[in-house]
Amino acid sequence: MQRPIRSGRGIIGKKPDLGLFPEHPIWGIFAVLLFDSILHLIDLPFSYYDSMKIEEKYGFNRSTKKTFWADQVKSFIISMVLLTLIGMMIMGIHRLLGDWLILAMAVALTLLILAFTFLYPLFVKLQYSHPTLSQRIEAIEKMH
């Protein structure tokens, strides 16, 4: 006869981990890889039609069916490797920061947005080919 499970505890006496990142990282990685695999399989017919039919119709396709499938396999393998590495990195950061991860990501995103908003205009000056258009855009910039 099986012993009854105590309230809020698993069979081994530990609380069950039902969160976003399970106790063992392999399950989180497995979930991400499974989801990406399903999306990749769903995208295959559309990608095939795009490459082999539409591009071929307009003369842009230089690949054969063999190179198409080889490219798909390579893309899938690279995607799995990168997702595994990124997933492990995010889970490691989550274990390190705990629930502060959300705040840390919000701060990082805010700093990134501010950096692009204020630093980008300092280093990039757009050159317009049409002089009247350039003058009109600069006039609008000065008004704001």
Side-chain angles (χ1 to χ4, degrees):
M1 183 166 166
Q2 187 179 12
R3 292 182 9 208
I5 297 174
R6 288 176 266 162
S7 129
R9 303 229 176 240
I11 295 175
I12 346 181
K14 292 173 30 177
K15 283 189 175 181
D17 192 5
L18 304 174
L20 179 61
F21 296 104
E23 187 172 322
H24 200 279
I26 193 74
W27 294 112
I29 296 296
F30 175 74
V32 170
L33 295 179
L34 179 67
F35 183 70
D36 187 61
S37 299
I38 291 169
L39 289 178
H40 194 77
L41 284 173
I42 291 171
D43 187 53
L44 269 177
F46 300 105
S47 183
Y48 181 83
Y49 184 76
D50 183 48
S51 293
M52 302 308 277
K53 301 295 181 189
I54 295 175
E55 289 181 9
E56 195 172 283
K57 179 180 176 181
Y58 295 103
F60 295 119
N61 186 12
R62 302 264 186 242
S63 64
T64 63
K65 290 181 183 181
K66 182 180 177 182
T67 57
F68 171 80
W69 289 111
D71 288 345
Q72 292 299 315
V73 169
K74 290 174 194 173
S75 169
F76 181 74
I77 291 170
I78 290 171
S79 172
M80 293 296 120
V81 169
L82 289 176
L83 281 174
T84 301
L85 294 174
I86 291 170
M88 299 274 292
M89 182 182 68
I90 290 173
M91 282 190 247
I93 292 171
H94 181 262
R95 288 188 189 283
L96 181 69
L97 297 178
D99 291 333
W100 290 98
L101 176 67
I102 295 171
L103 181 63
M105 290 297 169
V107 168
L109 184 62
T110 303
L111 291 175
L112 186 68
I113 290 170
L114 290 174
F116 277 113
T117 303
F118 294 113
L119 294 178
Y120 185 77
L122 295 176
F123 295 105
V124 177
K125 180 69 176 164
L126 296 177
Q127 299 295 324
Y128 302 104
S129 59
H130 198 275
T132 58
L133 177 63
S134 164
Q135 292 167 353
R136 288 174 42 199
I137 291 175
E138 288 173 0
I140 291 172
E141 286 178 351
K142 289 177 184 175
M143 286 192 304
H144 295 290

